[in-house]
Amino acid sequence: MEVPDLKMMQKPFSSQEQQAKERHLISEAAAGNGKAFEQLYQLYFNRLYQFIFRINRHHDCIEEIINDVMYVVWEKAATYDQTCRPSTWILGIAYLKSLKSAKKNTKREDESVEFNDELDYFPDRGARWVSQVEDSNWLEAALEKLSAEQRAVVEMTYFQGLHYSEISEIMQCPENTVKTRMFHARKILAKFFLELNSRS
Amino acid sequence: MLSTQIKLTNQSEHQKAWDLLPWYINRSLGPVEHAIVKNHIRTCITCRIELNLQERLFKKIQQTDLLQQVSHASFAQLKKRIETHPEVSISNKCTVSNKDLIFFPFQLQFLGFVKYTALAASLLLLAAPFMLNSWVIQPEMEGAYRTLANSSESTDNTNNIVRIVFADQPDSEQIEVIVNSVSGHIIKGPSPNGVYEVQIGNHQTDTQQVNDAIFRLRDHASVIFAELAQGLSVSE
């Protein structure tokens, strides 16, 4: 059983040509070429945005994290030894930064309590709207139930198209841990999916 | 012994294939692992069902619009905030309301009444300066410049007096015909601005008749303005 219909959806991230281009841009950046670094930044912006968003779920600090990540890339470009893919190196930095930010955000969320009189003007129509939103967007609701690490594995597999060995390199954990995280994530996602199907 | 061994091999092969399905879908597996999964799913219905589910998940993630995701995540945070603070939670609001309604229906209605009365009162307060403007004669309005919209300075016995401005200066006969058609007669005018004051009927004419007359005047092609004199200023 092949998966030909999904072939079109493959991201061009992992092509040899793309990797060569990225390696060149990193070495140029290491030599102080600002233009090359800007190109690398533009090339990675969307990819990093998606990746970071999936892990920490807070869009308000994503640009800040992207810039933190790319600052490290600029600073440490000379230390990139080309043994791993450029994406493994950059996403690895992004993963650590996102995890840190996710932890901070969880703390901030717990502390935030703001109320005002405007709340009186919300229409009082019951909780039905909550389940409607969940139905229309079961995936986001399901991803919300995963841990940051599990979300990261799902994201790196299904959006970034990475092999589990690369994911283990990025997350700095054994390959079996990646598989286990994916196993648990799949269980939770399947539960949501089946629940949604039975409801509809 | 042999069958147990085969079973164990099958079991471990199934587990391996099952674990590798996500990477089989994203096409990142090497040729050996790819072949293992491909051969296994030919015969394993469990893995085929799982493959189908994971493919749908993969498609959904690939197709999801990023901005949409961002908005949904923002909303999820807001939802969490609403749900974690029961005093403003919508679902809790409902529960509390229904429970309390059994014992204190009038109390709740009264609270609602108070809220909306307070809102109406504040709106009235806001509108007060504009309303007072038409009741009080403002000294600055007594000067030479006035418009038809300014406050009136003569307010007595004007319930049936209408101010009219005609288009293109029709002759007096035409004006007479128009005024007579609504049982009116000119009591003043024209002013330098071309305003006529017309009394509709007599002092016993009721408001409805005056309003009808105004509507008929407005329908007339030669009339560009017809309004009750009460509430309007004198236009010189």
Side-chain angles (χ1 to χ4, degrees):
Chain A
M1 192 174 173
E2 274 290 353
V3 279
D5 55 324
L6 300 171
K7 221 173 184 176
M8 297 299 287
M9 290 178 171
Q10 294 303 306
K11 299 276 184 258
F13 299 152
S14 47
S15 72
Q16 293 295 325
E17 202 183 321
Q18 179 71 13
Q19 282 182 53
K21 186 182 172 185
E22 288 172 11
R23 282 199 168 98
H24 172 71
L25 290 174
I26 292 171
S27 61
E28 284 294 305
N33 184 343
K35 286 257 179 220
F37 179 66
E38 193 182 338
Q39 240 182 297
L40 187 71
Y41 183 94
Q42 302 298 348
L43 209 62
Y44 265 85
F45 188 87
N46 284 352
R47 200 173 171 185
L48 285 174
Y49 197 102
Q50 165 96 19
F51 180 73
I52 296 163
F53 170 73
R54 278 269 183 248
I55 296 169
N56 80 359
R57 318 285 293 162
H58 282 80
H59 62 92
D60 49 349
C61 52
I62 294 179
E63 281 172 37
E64 199 184 315
I65 301 171
I66 293 175
N67 283 356
D68 283 352
V69 171
M70 293 310 281
Y71 182 78
V72 175
V73 171
W74 171 255
E75 286 281 293
K76 305 277 179 191
T79 65
Y80 172 62
D81 58 5
Q82 313 243 344
T83 49
C84 65
R85 289 180 182 190
S87 59
T88 308
W89 182 53
I90 297 173
L91 291 179
I93 301 166
Y95 175 69
L96 294 174
K97 294 267 179 201
S98 308
L99 268 192
K100 257 189 212 170
S101 159
K103 275 173 196 157
K104 251 191 244 169
N105 282 328
T106 319
K107 204 180 162 204
R108 217 185 301 157
E109 242 174 45
D110 294 342
E111 288 165 356
S112 84
V113 185
E114 290 176 4
F115 293 109
N116 48 39
D117 293 339
E118 276 109 273
L119 288 169
D120 290 343
Y121 294 98
F122 274 109
D124 192 358
R125 294 204 184 107
R128 204 154 42 105
W129 58 286
V130 175
S131 68
Q132 278 168 0
V133 168
E134 281 181 359
D135 280 357
S136 66
N137 193 41
W138 68 270
L139 178 65
E140 289 309 314
L143 288 170
E144 195 70 32
K145 301 284 171 204
L146 306 183
S147 68
E149 286 85 0
Q150 289 167 347
R151 271 201 305 269
V153 175
V154 173
E155 160 66 19
M156 284 190 267
T157 305
Y158 284 154
F159 189 79
Q160 311 279 346
L162 302 181
H163 187 260
Y164 60 83
S165 61
E166 275 179 284
I167 300 172
S168 81
E169 253 185 273
I170 290 169
M171 298 181 91
Q172 293 174 9
C173 65
E175 287 177 0
N176 275 341
T177 308
V178 174
K179 286 180 188 166
T180 310
R181 280 172 182 166
M182 190 53 153
F183 174 87
H184 291 298
R186 279 162 69 181
K187 286 257 175 204
I188 295 168
L189 294 174
K191 198 180 148 204
F192 257 79
F193 191 71
L194 296 173
E195 212 172 276
L196 181 85
N197 274 0
S198 66
R199 232 190 290 172
S200 59
Chain B
M1 179 76 182
L2 187 69
S3 72
T4 319
Q5 211 169 2
I6 293 168
K7 257 187 193 173
L8 275 174
T9 315
N10 285 346
Q11 189 63 34
S12 67
E13 189 193 275
H14 169 78
Q15 193 56 50
K16 190 170 185 182
W18 203 89
D19 282 346
L20 291 176
L21 285 176
W23 295 283
Y24 177 75
I25 291 167
N26 82 1
R27 304 180 75 86
S28 65
L29 290 180
V32 179
E33 284 180 324
H34 186 86
I36 291 171
V37 179
K38 197 178 167 185
N39 290 332
H40 178 75
I41 53 178
R42 268 191 203 136
T43 52
C44 180
I45 185 91
T46 316
C47 282
R48 274 219 295 274
I49 292 168
E50 178 65 12
L51 179 70
N52 182 272
L53 196 144
Q54 292 302 315
E55 273 175 358
R56 287 160 82 171
L57 180 65
F58 178 64
K59 274 184 197 169
K60 177 86 180 167
I61 291 181
Q62 295 269 317
Q63 286 164 353
T64 312
D65 174 49
L66 186 62
L67 267 182
Q68 207 184 9
Q69 287 174 38
V70 169
S71 79
H72 282 303
S74 291
F75 185 73
Q77 281 165 30
L78 175 64
K79 203 175 78 182
K80 207 189 278 174
R81 191 167 142 190
I82 293 167
E83 282 167 353
T84 49
H85 298 286
E87 56 268 43
V88 289
S89 158
I90 285 173
S91 52
N92 279 2
K93 253 188 194 174
C94 274
T95 327
V96 170
S97 301
N98 291 338
K99 194 178 143 199
D100 286 357
L101 268 171
I102 302 165
F103 303 105
F104 313 111
F106 298 111
Q107 190 185 357
L108 281 179
Q109 279 172 14
F110 177 71
L111 284 172
F113 170 76
V114 168
K115 191 164 81 179
Y116 291 112
T117 310
L119 189 66
S122 55
L123 282 172
L124 267 173
L125 263 171
L126 273 172
F130 302 101
M131 290 160 76
L132 285 170
N133 193 39
S134 59
W135 296 335
V136 179
I137 299 164
Q138 295 174 334
E140 63 267 26
M141 290 303 178
E142 289 175 343
Y145 181 76
R146 283 198 186 106
T147 69
L148 288 166
N150 284 349
S151 302
S152 173
E153 64 182 26
S154 58
T155 53
D156 49 340
N157 298 327
T158 53
N159 286 342
N160 61 344
I161 294 170
V162 175
R163 290 214 184 115
I164 307 171
V165 177
F166 294 95
D168 302 329
Q169 298 296 321
D171 58 41
S172 53
E173 269 182 40
Q174 276 177 293
I175 291 172
E176 198 72 23
V177 172
I178 294 167
V179 170
N180 285 342
S181 71
V182 292
S183 312
H185 59 277
I186 296 167
I187 55 166
K188 201 174 169 185
S191 73
N193 295 330
V195 181
Y196 290 81
E197 284 195 2
V198 173
Q199 187 172 31
I200 307 295
N202 51 38
H203 289 292
Q204 287 167 344
T205 308
D206 65 29
T207 320
Q208 187 56 48
Q209 283 172 303
V210 178
N211 285 339
D212 288 345
I214 291 171
F215 285 128
R216 269 185 283 147
L217 284 167
R218 285 175 185 166
D219 282 343
H220 208 287
S222 303
V223 175
I224 56 168
F225 179 87
E227 199 62 74
L228 204 60
Q230 196 178 39
L232 295 176
S233 69
V234 174
S235 52
E236 304 297 337

